[in-house]
Structures are given as structure tokens and as C-alpha cells.
PDB file of all heavy atoms in Angstrom:
ATOM      1  N   ARG B  16      88.762  78.251  40.779  1.00  0.00           N
ATOM      2  CA  ARG B  16      87.800  78.990  40.330  1.00  0.00           C
ATOM      3  C   ARG B  16      86.560  79.132  41.228  1.00  0.00           C
ATOM      4  O   ARG B  16      85.934  78.046  41.409  1.00  0.00           O
ATOM      5  CB  ARG B  16      87.475  78.693  38.840  1.00  0.00           C
ATOM      6  CG  ARG B  16      86.630  79.790  38.124  1.00  0.00           C
ATOM      7  CD  ARG B  16      86.269  79.394  36.692  1.00  0.00           C
ATOM      8  NE  ARG B  16      87.553  79.134  35.915  1.00  0.00           N
ATOM      9  CZ  ARG B  16      88.068  80.152  35.306  1.00  0.00           C
ATOM     10  NH1 ARG B  16      87.590  81.458  35.184  1.00  0.00           N
ATOM     11  NH2 ARG B  16      89.212  79.964  34.495  1.00  0.00           N
ATOM     12  N   ALA B  17      86.112  80.309  41.577  1.00  0.00           N
ATOM     13  CA  ALA B  17      84.964  80.340  42.455  1.00  0.00           C
ATOM     14  C   ALA B  17      83.728  79.900  41.765  1.00  0.00           C
ATOM     15  O   ALA B  17      83.659  80.079  40.480  1.00  0.00           O
ATOM     16  CB  ALA B  17      84.868  81.835  42.993  1.00  0.00           C
ATOM     17  N   ILE B  18      82.755  79.386  42.497  1.00  0.00           N
ATOM     18  CA  ILE B  18      81.553  78.995  41.878  1.00  0.00           C
ATOM     19  C   ILE B  18      80.323  79.703  42.645  1.00  0.00           C
ATOM     20  O   ILE B  18      80.566  80.339  43.635  1.00  0.00           O
ATOM     21  CB  ILE B  18      81.331  77.375  42.057  1.00  0.00           C
ATOM     22  CG1 ILE B  18      81.273  77.007  43.489  1.00  0.00           C
ATOM     23  CG2 ILE B  18      82.411  76.659  41.303  1.00  0.00           C
ATOM     24  CD1 ILE B  18      80.986  75.547  43.736  1.00  0.00           C
ATOM     25  N   SER B  19      79.174  79.681  42.060  1.00  0.00           N
ATOM     26  CA  SER B  19      78.008  80.193  42.504  1.00  0.00           C
ATOM     27  C   SER B  19      77.213  79.274  43.458  1.00  0.00           C
ATOM     28  O   SER B  19      76.405  78.416  43.027  1.00  0.00           O
ATOM     29  CB  SER B  19      77.164  80.717  41.392  1.00  0.00           C
ATOM     30  OG  SER B  19      75.967  81.434  42.000  1.00  0.00           O
ATOM     31  N   LEU B  20      77.564  79.330  44.787  1.00  0.00           N
ATOM     32  CA  LEU B  20      77.109  78.526  45.720  1.00  0.00           C
ATOM     33  C   LEU B  20      76.268  79.426  46.730  1.00  0.00           C
ATOM     34  O   LEU B  20      76.778  80.347  47.208  1.00  0.00           O
ATOM     35  CB  LEU B  20      78.196  77.729  46.374  1.00  0.00           C
ATOM     36  CG  LEU B  20      77.919  76.599  47.377  1.00  0.00           C
ATOM     37  CD1 LEU B  20      77.370  75.449  46.541  1.00  0.00           C
ATOM     38  CD2 LEU B  20      79.141  76.234  48.124  1.00  0.00           C
ATOM     39  N   VAL B  21      75.001  79.057  47.067  1.00  0.00           N
ATOM     40  CA  VAL B  21      74.243  79.743  47.986  1.00  0.00           C
ATOM     41  C   VAL B  21      73.566  78.811  48.948  1.00  0.00           C
ATOM     42  O   VAL B  21      73.409  77.633  48.781  1.00  0.00           O
ATOM     43  CB  VAL B  21      73.112  80.636  47.266  1.00  0.00           C
ATOM     44  CG1 VAL B  21      73.729  81.703  46.391  1.00  0.00           C
ATOM     45  CG2 VAL B  21      72.172  79.682  46.432  1.00  0.00           C
ATOM     46  N   CYS B  22      73.104  79.398  50.136  1.00  0.00           N
ATOM     47  CA  CYS B  22      72.292  78.764  51.051  1.00  0.00           C
ATOM     48  C   CYS B  22      71.096  79.572  51.278  1.00  0.00           C
ATOM     49  O   CYS B  22      71.178  80.653  51.932  1.00  0.00           O
ATOM     50  CB  CYS B  22      73.130  78.430  52.429  1.00  0.00           C
ATOM     51  SG  CYS B  22      72.301  77.471  53.553  1.00  0.00           S
ATOM     52  N   LYS B  23      69.951  79.134  50.783  1.00  0.00           N
ATOM     53  CA  LYS B  23      68.744  79.929  50.876  1.00  0.00           C
ATOM     54  C   LYS B  23      67.663  79.229  51.709  1.00  0.00           C
ATOM     55  O   LYS B  23      67.570  77.990  51.843  1.00  0.00           O
ATOM     56  CB  LYS B  23      68.244  80.003  49.422  1.00  0.00           C
ATOM     57  CG  LYS B  23      69.049  80.892  48.519  1.00  0.00           C
ATOM     58  CD  LYS B  23      69.119  82.381  48.950  1.00  0.00           C
ATOM     59  CE  LYS B  23      69.926  83.246  47.962  1.00  0.00           C
ATOM     60  NZ  LYS B  23      69.878  84.718  48.433  1.00  0.00           N
ATOM     61  N   VAL B  24      66.764  80.198  52.299  1.00  0.00           N
ATOM     62  CA  VAL B  24      65.624  79.723  52.976  1.00  0.00           C
ATOM     63  C   VAL B  24      64.704  79.052  51.929  1.00  0.00           C
ATOM     64  O   VAL B  24      64.409  79.604  51.007  1.00  0.00           O
ATOM     65  CB  VAL B  24      64.958  80.790  53.802  1.00  0.00           C
ATOM     66  CG1 VAL B  24      64.508  81.911  52.967  1.00  0.00           C
ATOM     67  CG2 VAL B  24      63.878  80.193  54.605  1.00  0.00           C
ATOM     68  N   THR B  25      64.269  77.784  52.146  1.00  0.00           N
ATOM     69  CA  THR B  25      63.448  77.136  51.244  1.00  0.00           C
ATOM     70  C   THR B  25      62.012  76.796  51.814  1.00  0.00           C
ATOM     71  O   THR B  25      61.081  76.596  51.026  1.00  0.00           O
ATOM     72  CB  THR B  25      64.165  75.840  50.885  1.00  0.00           C
ATOM     73  OG1 THR B  25      64.441  75.020  52.042  1.00  0.00           O
ATOM     74  CG2 THR B  25      65.343  76.035  50.031  1.00  0.00           C
ATOM     75  N   GLU B  26      61.768  76.832  53.115  1.00  0.00           N
ATOM     76  CA  GLU B  26      60.438  76.729  53.663  1.00  0.00           C
ATOM     77  C   GLU B  26      60.470  77.521  55.069  1.00  0.00           C
ATOM     78  O   GLU B  26      61.421  77.786  55.621  1.00  0.00           O
ATOM     79  CB  GLU B  26      60.240  75.243  54.129  1.00  0.00           C
ATOM     80  CG  GLU B  26      60.011  74.215  53.016  1.00  0.00           C
ATOM     81  CD  GLU B  26      59.662  72.841  53.422  1.00  0.00           C
ATOM     82  OE1 GLU B  26      59.822  72.557  54.612  1.00  0.00           O
ATOM     83  OE2 GLU B  26      59.356  72.073  52.654  1.00  0.00           O
ATOM     84  N   ALA B  27      59.228  77.955  55.287  1.00  0.00           N
ATOM     85  CA  ALA B  27      58.862  78.643  56.592  1.00  0.00           C
ATOM     86  C   ALA B  27      57.565  78.074  57.027  1.00  0.00           C
ATOM     87  O   ALA B  27      56.583  78.180  56.432  1.00  0.00           O
ATOM     88  CB  ALA B  27      58.778  80.005  56.345  1.00  0.00           C
ATOM     89  N   ASN B  28      57.741  77.497  58.271  1.00  0.00           N
ATOM     90  CA  ASN B  28      56.484  76.750  58.775  1.00  0.00           C
ATOM     91  C   ASN B  28      55.839  75.742  57.895  1.00  0.00           C
ATOM     92  O   ASN B  28      54.598  75.593  57.654  1.00  0.00           O
ATOM     93  CB  ASN B  28      55.345  77.728  59.342  1.00  0.00           C
ATOM     94  CG  ASN B  28      55.802  78.338  60.627  1.00  0.00           C
ATOM     95  OD1 ASN B  28      56.754  77.949  61.260  1.00  0.00           O
ATOM     96  ND2 ASN B  28      54.990  79.379  61.087  1.00  0.00           N
ATOM     97  N   GLY B  29      56.698  75.091  57.149  1.00  0.00           N
ATOM     98  CA  GLY B  29      56.274  74.068  56.162  1.00  0.00           C
ATOM     99  C   GLY B  29      55.847  74.595  54.811  1.00  0.00           C
ATOM    100  O   GLY B  29      55.565  73.814  53.883  1.00  0.00           O
ATOM    101  N   LYS B  30      55.782  75.872  54.623  1.00  0.00           N
ATOM    102  CA  LYS B  30      55.309  76.567  53.329  1.00  0.00           C
ATOM    103  C   LYS B  30      56.495  76.937  52.543  1.00  0.00           C
ATOM    104  O   LYS B  30      57.536  77.372  53.015  1.00  0.00           O
ATOM    105  CB  LYS B  30      54.490  77.706  53.566  1.00  0.00           C
ATOM    106  CG  LYS B  30      53.206  77.342  54.288  1.00  0.00           C
ATOM    107  CD  LYS B  30      52.357  78.654  54.502  1.00  0.00           C
ATOM    108  CE  LYS B  30      51.080  78.442  55.190  1.00  0.00           C
ATOM    109  NZ  LYS B  30      50.224  79.638  55.550  1.00  0.00           N
ATOM    110  N   PRO B  31      56.493  76.749  51.214  1.00  0.00           N
ATOM    111  CA  PRO B  31      57.681  77.012  50.341  1.00  0.00           C
ATOM    112  C   PRO B  31      57.998  78.441  50.308  1.00  0.00           C
ATOM    113  O   PRO B  31      57.086  79.326  50.236  1.00  0.00           O
ATOM    114  CB  PRO B  31      57.174  76.474  48.975  1.00  0.00           C
ATOM    115  CG  PRO B  31      55.689  76.501  49.020  1.00  0.00           C
ATOM    116  CD  PRO B  31      55.352  76.147  50.402  1.00  0.00           C
ATOM    117  N   ALA B  32      59.322  78.793  50.332  1.00  0.00           N
ATOM    118  CA  ALA B  32      59.816  80.076  50.162  1.00  0.00           C
ATOM    119  C   ALA B  32      60.280  80.302  48.753  1.00  0.00           C
ATOM    120  O   ALA B  32      60.900  79.336  48.142  1.00  0.00           O
ATOM    121  CB  ALA B  32      60.866  80.376  51.202  1.00  0.00           C
ATOM    122  N   VAL B  33      60.131  81.514  48.258  1.00  0.00           N
ATOM    123  CA  VAL B  33      60.460  81.824  46.787  1.00  0.00           C
ATOM    124  C   VAL B  33      61.322  83.105  46.704  1.00  0.00           C
ATOM    125  O   VAL B  33      61.048  84.123  47.524  1.00  0.00           O
ATOM    126  CB  VAL B  33      59.154  81.951  46.042  1.00  0.00           C
ATOM    127  CG1 VAL B  33      59.439  82.483  44.578  1.00  0.00           C
ATOM    128  CG2 VAL B  33      58.499  80.627  45.823  1.00  0.00           C
ATOM    129  N   LYS B  34      62.259  83.080  45.883  1.00  0.00           N
ATOM    130  CA  LYS B  34      62.924  84.350  45.504  1.00  0.00           C
ATOM    131  C   LYS B  34      62.814  84.363  43.995  1.00  0.00           C
ATOM    132  O   LYS B  34      63.241  83.469  43.309  1.00  0.00           O
ATOM    133  CB  LYS B  34      64.401  84.360  45.877  1.00  0.00           C
ATOM    134  CG  LYS B  34      65.147  85.604  45.536  1.00  0.00           C
ATOM    135  CD  LYS B  34      66.629  85.490  45.819  1.00  0.00           C
ATOM    136  CE  LYS B  34      67.496  86.666  45.302  1.00  0.00           C
ATOM    137  NZ  LYS B  34      68.929  86.326  45.466  1.00  0.00           N
ATOM    138  N   LEU B  35      62.464  85.512  43.429  1.00  0.00           N
ATOM    139  CA  LEU B  35      62.327  85.763  41.975  1.00  0.00           C
ATOM    140  C   LEU B  35      63.594  86.399  41.412  1.00  0.00           C
ATOM    141  O   LEU B  35      64.147  86.015  40.429  1.00  0.00           O
ATOM    142  CB  LEU B  35      61.171  86.615  41.570  1.00  0.00           C
ATOM    143  CG  LEU B  35      59.717  85.938  41.882  1.00  0.00           C
ATOM    144  CD1 LEU B  35      58.630  86.959  41.332  1.00  0.00           C
ATOM    145  CD2 LEU B  35      59.634  84.642  41.168  1.00  0.00           C
ATOM    146  N   SER B  36      64.132  87.475  42.148  1.00  0.00           N
ATOM    147  CA  SER B  36      65.221  88.212  41.707  1.00  0.00           C
ATOM    148  C   SER B  36      64.972  89.111  40.474  1.00  0.00           C
ATOM    149  O   SER B  36      64.026  88.738  39.685  1.00  0.00           O
ATOM    150  CB  SER B  36      66.491  87.311  41.583  1.00  0.00           C
ATOM    151  OG  SER B  36      67.674  87.989  41.049  1.00  0.00           O
ATOM    152  N   ASP B  37      65.880  90.032  40.199  1.00  0.00           N
ATOM    153  CA  ASP B  37      65.839  90.796  38.859  1.00  0.00           C
ATOM    154  C   ASP B  37      66.476  89.988  37.743  1.00  0.00           C
ATOM    155  O   ASP B  37      66.324  90.191  36.697  1.00  0.00           O
ATOM    156  CB  ASP B  37      66.528  92.120  39.063  1.00  0.00           C
ATOM    157  CG  ASP B  37      65.762  93.176  39.683  1.00  0.00           C
ATOM    158  OD1 ASP B  37      64.536  93.140  39.638  1.00  0.00           O
ATOM    159  OD2 ASP B  37      66.347  94.019  40.423  1.00  0.00           O
ATOM    160  N   ASN B  38      67.192  88.911  38.145  1.00  0.00           N
ATOM    161  CA  ASN B  38      67.857  88.103  37.283  1.00  0.00           C
ATOM    162  C   ASN B  38      67.210  86.633  37.382  1.00  0.00           C
ATOM    163  O   ASN B  38      67.462  85.877  38.407  1.00  0.00           O
ATOM    164  CB  ASN B  38      69.426  87.815  37.583  1.00  0.00           C
ATOM    165  CG  ASN B  38      70.101  86.991  36.617  1.00  0.00           C
ATOM    166  OD1 ASN B  38      69.536  86.375  35.752  1.00  0.00           O
ATOM    167  ND2 ASN B  38      71.401  86.817  36.851  1.00  0.00           N
ATOM    168  N   PRO B  39      66.388  86.294  36.418  1.00  0.00           N
ATOM    169  CA  PRO B  39      65.769  84.884  36.468  1.00  0.00           C
ATOM    170  C   PRO B  39      66.636  83.756  36.860  1.00  0.00           C
ATOM    171  O   PRO B  39      66.168  82.706  37.483  1.00  0.00           O
ATOM    172  CB  PRO B  39      65.130  84.725  35.081  1.00  0.00           C
ATOM    173  CG  PRO B  39      64.953  86.174  34.615  1.00  0.00           C
ATOM    174  CD  PRO B  39      66.091  86.879  35.127  1.00  0.00           C
ATOM    175  N   ARG B  40      67.886  83.800  36.503  1.00  0.00           N
ATOM    176  CA  ARG B  40      68.789  82.767  36.718  1.00  0.00           C
ATOM    177  C   ARG B  40      69.008  82.582  38.307  1.00  0.00           C
ATOM    178  O   ARG B  40      69.592  81.569  38.755  1.00  0.00           O
ATOM    179  CB  ARG B  40      70.056  82.886  36.006  1.00  0.00           C
ATOM    180  CG  ARG B  40      69.996  82.691  34.538  1.00  0.00           C
ATOM    181  CD  ARG B  40      71.349  82.493  33.829  1.00  0.00           C
ATOM    182  NE  ARG B  40      71.231  82.308  32.402  1.00  0.00           N
ATOM    183  CZ  ARG B  40      72.272  81.878  31.722  1.00  0.00           C
ATOM    184  NH1 ARG B  40      73.424  81.666  32.190  1.00  0.00           N
ATOM    185  NH2 ARG B  40      72.149  81.884  30.341  1.00  0.00           N
ATOM    186  N   LYS B  41      68.787  83.657  39.066  1.00  0.00           N
ATOM    187  CA  LYS B  41      68.998  83.681  40.557  1.00  0.00           C
ATOM    188  C   LYS B  41      67.759  83.183  41.259  1.00  0.00           C
ATOM    189  O   LYS B  41      67.683  83.288  42.442  1.00  0.00           O
ATOM    190  CB  LYS B  41      69.613  84.961  40.932  1.00  0.00           C
ATOM    191  CG  LYS B  41      70.944  85.297  40.397  1.00  0.00           C
ATOM    192  CD  LYS B  41      71.501  86.572  40.864  1.00  0.00           C
ATOM    193  CE  LYS B  41      72.226  86.501  42.158  1.00  0.00           C
ATOM    194  NZ  LYS B  41      72.948  87.615  42.492  1.00  0.00           N
ATOM    195  N   ALA B  42      66.609  82.925  40.512  1.00  0.00           N
ATOM    196  CA  ALA B  42      65.319  82.501  41.211  1.00  0.00           C
ATOM    197  C   ALA B  42      65.603  81.308  41.925  1.00  0.00           C
ATOM    198  O   ALA B  42      66.216  80.328  41.425  1.00  0.00           O
ATOM    199  CB  ALA B  42      64.260  82.523  40.188  1.00  0.00           C
ATOM    200  N   THR B  43      64.864  81.104  43.095  1.00  0.00           N
ATOM    201  CA  THR B  43      64.951  79.948  43.904  1.00  0.00           C
ATOM    202  C   THR B  43      63.513  79.575  44.322  1.00  0.00           C
ATOM    203  O   THR B  43      62.760  80.493  44.618  1.00  0.00           O
ATOM    204  CB  THR B  43      65.883  80.008  45.110  1.00  0.00           C
ATOM    205  OG1 THR B  43      65.434  81.008  46.042  1.00  0.00           O
ATOM    206  CG2 THR B  43      67.362  80.275  44.668  1.00  0.00           C
ATOM    207  N   GLY B  44      63.226  78.266  44.527  1.00  0.00           N
ATOM    208  CA  GLY B  44      61.971  77.880  44.968  1.00  0.00           C
ATOM    209  C   GLY B  44      61.372  76.820  44.076  1.00  0.00           C
ATOM    210  O   GLY B  44      61.841  76.485  42.984  1.00  0.00           O
ATOM    211  N   ASP B  45      60.259  76.288  44.644  1.00  0.00           N
ATOM    212  CA  ASP B  45      59.491  75.184  43.811  1.00  0.00           C
ATOM    213  C   ASP B  45      59.018  75.906  42.524  1.00  0.00           C
ATOM    214  O   ASP B  45      58.424  77.031  42.593  1.00  0.00           O
ATOM    215  CB  ASP B  45      58.359  74.761  44.579  1.00  0.00           C
ATOM    216  CG  ASP B  45      57.457  73.784  43.883  1.00  0.00           C
ATOM    217  OD1 ASP B  45      57.880  72.579  43.731  1.00  0.00           O
ATOM    218  OD2 ASP B  45      56.474  74.192  43.370  1.00  0.00           O
ATOM    219  N   PRO B  46      59.131  75.259  41.290  1.00  0.00           N
ATOM    220  CA  PRO B  46      58.685  75.930  40.093  1.00  0.00           C
ATOM    221  C   PRO B  46      57.312  76.362  40.084  1.00  0.00           C
ATOM    222  O   PRO B  46      56.963  77.393  39.483  1.00  0.00           O
ATOM    223  CB  PRO B  46      59.020  74.790  39.036  1.00  0.00           C
ATOM    224  CG  PRO B  46      60.080  74.041  39.666  1.00  0.00           C
ATOM    225  CD  PRO B  46      59.838  74.074  41.136  1.00  0.00           C
ATOM    226  N   ALA B  47      56.440  75.545  40.769  1.00  0.00           N
ATOM    227  CA  ALA B  47      54.943  75.944  40.544  1.00  0.00           C
ATOM    228  C   ALA B  47      54.782  77.094  41.406  1.00  0.00           C
ATOM    229  O   ALA B  47      53.877  78.120  41.031  1.00  0.00           O
ATOM    230  CB  ALA B  47      54.113  74.851  41.181  1.00  0.00           C
ATOM    231  N   GLU B  48      55.498  77.258  42.624  1.00  0.00           N
ATOM    232  CA  GLU B  48      55.398  78.455  43.365  1.00  0.00           C
ATOM    233  C   GLU B  48      56.050  79.635  42.657  1.00  0.00           C
ATOM    234  O   GLU B  48      55.488  80.765  42.835  1.00  0.00           O
ATOM    235  CB  GLU B  48      56.049  78.301  44.792  1.00  0.00           C
ATOM    236  CG  GLU B  48      55.261  77.506  45.628  1.00  0.00           C
ATOM    237  CD  GLU B  48      53.962  78.001  46.201  1.00  0.00           C
ATOM    238  OE1 GLU B  48      53.938  79.159  46.627  1.00  0.00           O
ATOM    239  OE2 GLU B  48      52.958  77.414  45.857  1.00  0.00           O
ATOM    240  N   ILE B  49      57.103  79.557  41.954  1.00  0.00           N
ATOM    241  CA  ILE B  49      57.702  80.560  41.251  1.00  0.00           C
ATOM    242  C   ILE B  49      56.692  81.178  40.260  1.00  0.00           C
ATOM    243  O   ILE B  49      56.513  82.318  40.051  1.00  0.00           O
ATOM    244  CB  ILE B  49      58.950  80.109  40.546  1.00  0.00           C
ATOM    245  CG1 ILE B  49      60.092  79.865  41.681  1.00  0.00           C
ATOM    246  CG2 ILE B  49      59.448  81.175  39.518  1.00  0.00           C
ATOM    247  CD1 ILE B  49      61.541  79.311  40.992  1.00  0.00           C
ATOM    248  N   GLU B  50      56.002  80.229  39.512  1.00  0.00           N
ATOM    249  CA  GLU B  50      55.006  80.720  38.571  1.00  0.00           C
ATOM    250  C   GLU B  50      53.820  81.492  39.335  1.00  0.00           C
ATOM    251  O   GLU B  50      53.414  82.536  38.771  1.00  0.00           O
ATOM    252  CB  GLU B  50      54.294  79.484  37.782  1.00  0.00           C
ATOM    253  CG  GLU B  50      55.321  78.908  36.898  1.00  0.00           C
ATOM    254  CD  GLU B  50      55.769  79.889  35.812  1.00  0.00           C
ATOM    255  OE1 GLU B  50      54.864  80.573  35.214  1.00  0.00           O
ATOM    256  OE2 GLU B  50      57.020  79.920  35.533  1.00  0.00           O
ATOM    257  N   ARG B  51      53.481  81.031  40.450  1.00  0.00           N
ATOM    258  CA  ARG B  51      52.502  81.729  41.193  1.00  0.00           C
ATOM    259  C   ARG B  51      53.003  83.095  41.592  1.00  0.00           C
ATOM    260  O   ARG B  51      52.288  84.201  41.432  1.00  0.00           O
ATOM    261  CB  ARG B  51      52.167  80.892  42.619  1.00  0.00           C
ATOM    262  CG  ARG B  51      51.123  81.679  43.394  1.00  0.00           C
ATOM    263  CD  ARG B  51      51.049  81.020  44.780  1.00  0.00           C
ATOM    264  NE  ARG B  51      50.132  81.753  45.640  1.00  0.00           N
ATOM    265  CZ  ARG B  51      50.022  81.593  46.947  1.00  0.00           C
ATOM    266  NH1 ARG B  51      51.036  80.802  47.598  1.00  0.00           N
ATOM    267  NH2 ARG B  51      49.404  82.243  47.738  1.00  0.00           N
TER     268      ARG B  51
END
């Protein structure tokens, strides 16, 4: 059975990268940065 596996950019020049998405379950990034 296929699973939801991704490989996302997490930092750029040492700064955290964030994705919010239209679906909150697909959000990626540091929780504090997501809130920002």
C-alpha cells in the first residue's frame, strides 16, 4: 500500500522553510515558523 512520503526543502541559507498548503495536514516546517 502506498504511503505519503515527501522530500521537502527545510532550510535555505540556514533559515527555516515553510509550506502551509490548502490542507493543514500537508503543512511542513518548524511549528513556530508555521504560526508566523
